[in-house]
Amino acid sequence: MKLSRRKFLTLGGGALILVLIPKGIETSLAGTAPETAPSPIGDWTKEWEKHYWGFAVDTTKCIGCGRCVVACKVENRLPPEPEFTRTWVERYVILEDGEVLVDSPEAGMHGFKDEVANARLRGREIRRSFFVPKLCNQCDDPPCVQVCPVAATHRTADGVVLVDRKRCIGCRYCIQACPYGARYLDPEERVADKCTWCYHRIAQGMKPACVEVCPVGARIFGDFKDPESPVRQVLRKFSVGVLKPDLGTKPKVYYIGLQSGVR
Amino acid sequence: MPGFFYPNEAELQWGLLIVLYPYITGLVAGAFIVSALYHLLKIEALRPVSRLALLTALGFLLVAPLPLLAHLGRPERGFEIFWTPNLSSAMAGFGYIWLLYLLLVTIETWLVFRPDIVHYAQTRRGWLNPIYRLLTLGSHDVSPATLEKEKRLVTTLSAIGVPSAFLLHGYVGFIFGAIKANPWWSTPLMPIIFLVSAIVSGIALLMVIYLAQMKLQRMPVDHLCLRSLGNWLLAFLLADAALTFLEMLSFAYEQEESWEIISQMINRSLALQYGGFQLLLGLFLSVVWLWTANTVRAENAPRGTLFRAVAALLVLGGVFAMRWNVVIGGQLFSRSLYGVRSDLIFPVLGQDGIVTALLILALPVVLVFLMTAIVPPWEEQRPAPVPEAESPRS
């Protein structure tokens, strides 16, 4: 079971991503195995202080293709099932009568061609429809870090929340405490798992896999400590919102065009 | 139509075992409170069950961490909570609080039963004798002066035990009440609701175990004791009802963003478990039975006891439903507030299955029966005091 899943992902998924992603990116995705090459930046723990990572999502650009979800599954060797996912895409359909319909078939990884969901919309008057990609918000005040009984979940100095898979006891308190549904229990190792903004990539100066493959630039990643970084520019140019700000978690994924009612 | 759930919400994270966890710790806290009512408030009517209450608390307390341990993804790392706790976690303290409380209940139980143990060690022969000798821990002194000193110590331990019991169980309520991500859990009332329902369930459990034991051992039931237990149960049930009503009232009246989905959950997914089991059977009908029992004339005491027994069973079911409604209910709606579900399937076998849960629930009952066989807590079977202890105190 363990082997077949892993093999499925590395072989099948590897082939998949070669087809899906634009040319030129394969090289950067392939060069992630840490044991093959020494880190180009030396003692990376000292690099912590130099960065403060941030993320922006442009909901006006997302086309719901789901490539980001697939890229994440492949890059991070996640279980193939959609209910164990580090990122997903939601479709919001707001009808003229005010009703809000939300769906995310198979976490959105194959787009939104689901017949059953689409049948619900037939004959209804649609006011607005848009896609909302979701991922871990790497909150500045993360409830998951607060509640972890053994401090397996922790925050790095450059602002990313990580899970120490060797410490996690699998109590799932963090999964309950996350207001965004960003966490799940890894079905193989029985420990908590979540999006890391591809920490292994960003620590080496690369972009997260989902940002890399997004064909419309709806996912924007950068360093708050760099004035020229794309996230800083987004915050300067657009009015942005974060998810569930009233919970005081201080999320660091900023949404351009965030419609009220998106939760 | 279930509506929308975040993809990662498809799995039920906390199942039957986490329902058992607050249920069992609640029974511990409640049973201990009964022993404290006798030792601290000197409620003489409760004397027949005061020692059984301690054994019950101890038996359930020993089992309390089991459901937690069994539900962990990595049970072999469970003890990390002791070695490397994260102090900001509301869960990290459970191990310590449980351990301290276990220590306290064990010492108090040992002190209360020590004269019996010494007596059995001296009089009983056969394979049980070494067990009794071991249980004396080498202390055979049952002189009136020592016993008097120990009696005062027991009172002190009871006095420390009551806030500890409150801490143990209020704390379990806080584990849920402190989750701001979940509007069904996140209420400051949660610890106090847990606490009062814990007391309620503990008293009910004691009534059931006491009556079952009397029946099995063919010993007469002390109806006055049952009456007292019933009235304490009634008082705490009324407090429980008031809190439950208050919680629901503020939910329904404030009508926050989450109310739409929560009201759907209560009406659709939890109609039977909440409205039926928790409110109607567990609160309303049990109050009615207890009330009716009080109208029974003294000469018909056995009938009053029967009514109270029915009420106690209803309460045990009702409090279990309450734990269910909190733990499972909190996972029946999406944190996106766009979906409600009721089609959860609970596995029969496996680590998180129904069989495991039943075994864990049966274990403390077996433990209590075992302990009552080794050191009978009944007044009728109290060994005649050892000669020195019999002499009146000067």
Side-chain angles (χ1 to χ4, degrees):
Chain A
M1 174 76 181
K2 265 187 186 173
L3 269 176
S4 67
R5 182 173 283 160
R6 194 129 278 173
K7 261 198 179 136
F8 166 78
L9 279 169
T10 44
L11 297 177
L16 192 64
I17 202 163
L18 283 178
V19 178
L20 278 172
I21 60 174
K23 240 187 141 98
I25 296 159
E26 300 96 290
T27 42
S28 60
L29 280 176
T32 51
E35 63 271 17
T36 50
S39 170
I41 46 174
D43 182 5
W44 54 271
T45 53
K46 283 185 188 141
E47 293 288 308
W48 277 10
E49 309 295 330
K50 291 186 192 158
H51 306 286
Y52 203 72
W53 306 113
F55 209 108
V57 172
D58 192 340
T59 59
T60 65
K61 281 188 181 164
C62 178
I63 54 170
C65 67
R67 282 183 178 195
C68 47
V69 183
V70 176
C72 174
K73 287 243 179 238
V74 174
E75 171 68 22
N76 296 296
R77 300 178 183 182
L78 302 186
E81 298 92 343
E83 61 267 26
F84 309 106
T85 194
R86 288 186 176 189
T87 186
W88 66 99
V89 181
E90 294 168 6
R91 175 176 63 174
Y92 273 72
V93 180
I94 302 174
L95 302 172
E96 278 298 356
D97 60 8
E99 193 186 345
V100 182
L101 298 173
V102 192
D103 66 342
S104 180
E106 294 188 87
M109 70 173 116
H110 302 307
F112 290 79
K113 294 167 285 190
D114 183 38
E115 284 303 321
V116 182
N118 291 338
R120 279 195 303 172
L121 301 170
R122 227 155 268 148
R124 312 281 304 260
E125 260 195 283
I126 295 171
R127 181 186 293 161
R128 253 176 84 77
S129 180
F130 52 89
F131 298 101
V132 185
K134 294 272 187 84
L135 67 165
C136 175
N137 286 289
Q138 317 292 355
C139 304
D140 266 345
D141 251 327
C144 53
V145 171
Q146 181 188 33
V147 303
C148 176
V150 295
T153 283
H154 56 282
R155 259 182 95 236
T156 63
D158 46 4
V160 177
V161 176
L162 299 176
V163 182
D164 184 340
R165 298 169 73 87
K166 292 198 171 72
R167 288 188 71 77
C168 176
I169 60 175
C171 73
R172 287 164 260 191
Y173 204 18
C174 57
I175 302 176
Q176 302 287 8
C178 175
Y180 308 104
R183 287 170 165 262
Y184 62 92
L185 194 81
D186 183 319
E188 271 184 32
E189 287 188 41
R190 313 278 299 154
V191 293
D193 193 49
K194 66 179 262 300
C195 160
T196 65
W197 286 358
C198 283
Y199 200 66
H200 58 292
R201 290 170 58 87
I202 62 178
Q204 299 184 57
M206 290 185 276
K207 291 178 190 167
C210 59
V211 176
E212 193 84 68
V213 299
C214 179
V216 293
R219 288 176 179 246
I220 302 145
F221 180 77
D223 182 358
F224 278 126
K225 289 194 174 169
D226 172 10
E228 295 311 311
S229 91
V231 277
R232 287 273 292 265
Q233 289 178 27
V234 164
L235 295 194
R236 274 199 296 268
K237 283 185 199 158
F238 301 96
S239 52
V240 292
V242 293
L243 297 172
K244 303 185 181 178
D246 48 313
L247 291 181
T249 54
K250 299 182 189 146
K252 288 205 298 289
V253 175
Y254 297 91
Y255 285 87
I256 300 170
L258 185 66
Q259 172 88 26
S260 73
V262 172
R263 296 189 279 245
Chain B
M1 175 124 355
F4 171 69
F5 277 79
Y6 296 132
N8 289 332
E9 285 179 325
E11 274 221 323
L12 181 77
Q13 300 298 340
W14 285 351
L16 210 44
L17 291 177
I18 301 300
V19 176
L20 280 191
Y21 158 61
Y23 190 57
I24 291 179
T25 56
L27 293 171
V28 174
F32 186 85
I33 296 299
V34 175
S35 89
L37 284 174
Y38 170 73
H39 286 294
L40 283 181
L41 300 186
K42 313 281 179 216
I43 310 234
E44 267 306 310
L46 294 179
R47 186 183 166 86
V49 291
S50 74
R51 306 207 307 166
L52 174 66
L54 277 178
L55 293 184
T56 305
L58 185 59
F60 279 77
L61 188 55
L62 283 168
V63 177
L66 262 192
L68 275 189
L69 194 63
H71 114 282
L72 288 184
R74 304 298 295 252
E76 79 279 10
R77 297 180 187 163
F79 282 96
E80 294 296 325
I81 284 198
F82 284 105
W83 320 138
T84 58
N86 172 27
L87 296 182
S88 73
S89 169
M91 197 184 270
F94 176 76
Y96 295 110
I97 297 176
W98 172 79
L99 202 61
L100 280 176
Y101 194 56
L102 180 66
L103 212 64
L104 187 139
V105 175
T106 309
I107 294 174
E108 183 175 338
T109 310
W110 183 72
L111 285 174
V112 164
F113 283 94
R114 210 178 62 82
D116 303 48
I117 295 171
V118 170
H119 172 80
Y120 292 137
Q122 287 166 354
T123 54
R124 284 207 181 165
R125 295 284 161 255
W127 62 275
L128 268 173
N129 182 266
I131 295 180
Y132 288 118
R133 294 172 77 88
L134 192 74
L135 284 175
T136 61
L137 300 180
S139 158
H140 295 270
D141 179 7
V142 281
S143 65
T146 310
L147 289 185
E148 187 58 33
K149 217 190 291 171
E150 286 181 358
K151 203 175 162 191
R152 263 180 275 133
L153 189 56
V154 165
T155 310
T156 313
L157 285 175
S158 275
I160 304 171
V162 172
S164 308
F166 283 9
L167 186 68
L168 178 79
H169 201 70
Y171 173 82
V172 176
F174 185 74
I175 286 183
F176 293 95
I179 297 287
K180 63 183 169 188
N182 192 318
W184 180 237
W185 290 343
S186 175
T187 156
L189 273 180
M190 197 58 94
I192 189 87
I193 291 177
F194 263 57
L195 199 57
V196 176
S197 56
I199 297 174
V200 162
S201 68
I203 299 174
L205 175 73
L206 213 54
M207 291 164 74
V208 171
I209 291 191
Y210 173 73
L211 287 174
Q213 285 272 20
M214 291 299 104
K215 196 97 189 149
L216 282 174
Q217 318 244 1
R218 295 169 201 283
M219 287 197 295
V221 171
D222 186 326
H223 296 291
L224 270 182
C225 172
L226 245 290
R227 187 189 169 89
S228 177
L229 279 172
N231 283 337
W232 282 103
L233 180 59
L234 183 59
F236 282 111
L237 260 182
L238 291 175
D240 192 20
L243 283 169
T244 309
F245 174 72
L246 196 59
E247 188 203 21
M248 201 38 63
L249 180 72
S250 57
F251 262 129
Y253 194 81
E254 289 180 18
Q255 300 220 356
E256 286 189 28
E257 194 181 21
S258 56
W259 173 243
E260 202 181 317
I261 209 76
I262 285 181
S263 60
Q264 279 184 41
M265 177 187 74
I266 296 168
N267 290 324
R268 273 203 248 142
S269 319
L270 287 182
L272 187 65
Q273 295 95 321
Y274 189 81
F277 294 148
Q278 185 182 336
L279 297 187
L280 186 66
L281 295 183
L283 280 176
F284 182 72
L285 275 186
S286 47
V287 165
V288 170
W289 279 105
L290 288 169
W291 206 280
T292 317
N294 274 345
T295 63
V296 172
R297 289 162 188 274
E299 57 266 29
N300 287 333
R303 181 185 290 175
T305 296
L306 182 69
F307 287 0
R308 293 189 176 99
V310 172
L313 284 171
L314 286 176
V315 164
L316 282 178
V319 174
F320 183 82
M322 182 268 180
R323 308 298 190 227
W324 174 282
N325 294 334
V326 170
V327 176
I328 304 296
Q331 300 168 86
L332 288 180
F333 62 92
S334 169
R335 272 162 284 174
S336 70
L337 309 181
Y338 280 117
V340 183
R341 60 185 163 194
S342 48
D343 54 344
L344 288 178
I345 296 162
F346 292 88
V348 176
L349 298 171
Q351 192 191 340
D352 221 3
I354 296 172
V355 173
T356 316
L358 284 177
L359 284 177
I360 287 180
L361 196 56
L363 188 58
V365 180
V366 173
L367 276 179
V368 172
F369 274 62
L370 219 84
M371 286 191 283
T372 56
I374 295 174
V375 277
W378 327 116
E379 290 303 310
E380 290 82 355
Q381 291 182 11
R382 218 166 179 149
V386 234
E388 305 99 311
E390 213 168 23
S391 59
R393 223 153 56 85
S394 49

